[in-house]
Amino acid sequence: MAETTLSSLADLKAATAAPQPEAPKYVQKLDKLGRAYATGKRKNAVARVWIRPGSGKIVVNDRALEVYFARPVLRMILRRPLDIANRATQYDLMVKVAGGGLSGQAGAVRHGLAKALTYFEPDLRPALKREGFLTRDSRIVERKKYGKKKARRSFQFSKR
């Protein structure tokens, strides 16, 4: 190995100045119909989300958003990525969601929508990542164990 002696701070700076790797460039991913597609998951729910430019119409399993997600809290969860990106009325959404309950389905749609937005507009990625919408929530239901009533709950103890 070649040992070089450094005589000044300028030499040290020149020796340590290595080219920094560039941040990865994200590119737009669209299908042949001009839509962005992403899959979102939460608990046991899986949502397939397509977005395209439009007037803000949201269709979930061939029903209107207000019909499928009747609770306002679920609609609010679902719309958060659009609100953060200030794109509430710029995209039409078509969603197919299956599995789990309504809360898990709303979380899955939110995850898929955030991913689809980053595919359509890669510049939105930092804002959505900061809010945690691109991270898959990996918490799932723990399996039932033998000798137990549920995953951890034991049967009621009786002395007699």
Side-chain angles (χ1 to χ4, degrees):
M1 289 196 176
E3 296 278 332
T4 55
T5 56
L6 303 173
S7 59
S8 68
L9 289 175
D11 293 340
L12 179 64
K13 185 176 180 184
T16 59
Q20 295 293 326
E22 288 188 25
K25 300 283 187 225
Y26 294 99
V27 295
Q28 192 178 43
K29 295 181 188 175
L30 300 178
D31 63 4
K32 61 186 176 210
L33 299 176
R35 304 175 301 185
Y37 166 77
T39 303
K41 295 182 179 182
R42 170 85 170 94
K43 294 186 177 180
N44 283 333
V46 179
R48 297 177 294 156
V49 181
W50 291 268
I51 65 169
R52 66 171 186 231
S55 60
K57 190 174 95 172
I58 302 175
V59 177
V60 181
N61 288 354
D62 299 323
R63 289 188 248 165
L65 176 69
E66 289 74 20
V67 175
Y68 194 84
F69 291 114
R71 284 188 270 164
V73 173
L74 298 177
R75 291 196 299 262
M76 182 190 73
I77 289 171
L78 190 144
R79 284 195 175 115
R80 285 287 291 151
L82 292 171
D83 294 339
I84 294 296
N86 292 326
R87 306 285 194 274
T89 59
Q90 293 183 10
Y91 293 112
D92 287 343
L93 274 65
M94 193 186 86
V95 179
K96 297 286 185 187
V97 64
L102 285 178
S103 177
Q105 287 184 352
V109 172
R110 181 181 78 176
H111 182 230
L113 174 59
K115 282 172 59 175
L117 278 172
T118 60
Y119 293 155
F120 207 94
E121 290 185 58
D123 298 335
L124 296 176
R125 185 175 174 82
L128 294 172
K129 185 138 181 89
R130 195 176 320 114
E131 294 291 325
F133 295 148
L134 298 177
T135 304
R136 196 254 199 247
D137 190 352
S138 60
R139 296 176 295 170
I140 57 170
V141 177
E142 190 175 348
R143 76 171 190 90
K144 183 194 175 302
K145 278 75 169 190
Y146 62 89
K148 299 280 186 180
K149 191 171 180 128
K150 294 176 18 179
R152 298 183 181 202
R153 167 97 167 92
S154 298
F155 294 103
Q156 183 171 345
F157 176 74
S158 174
K159 202 170 200 177
R160 291 183 189 83

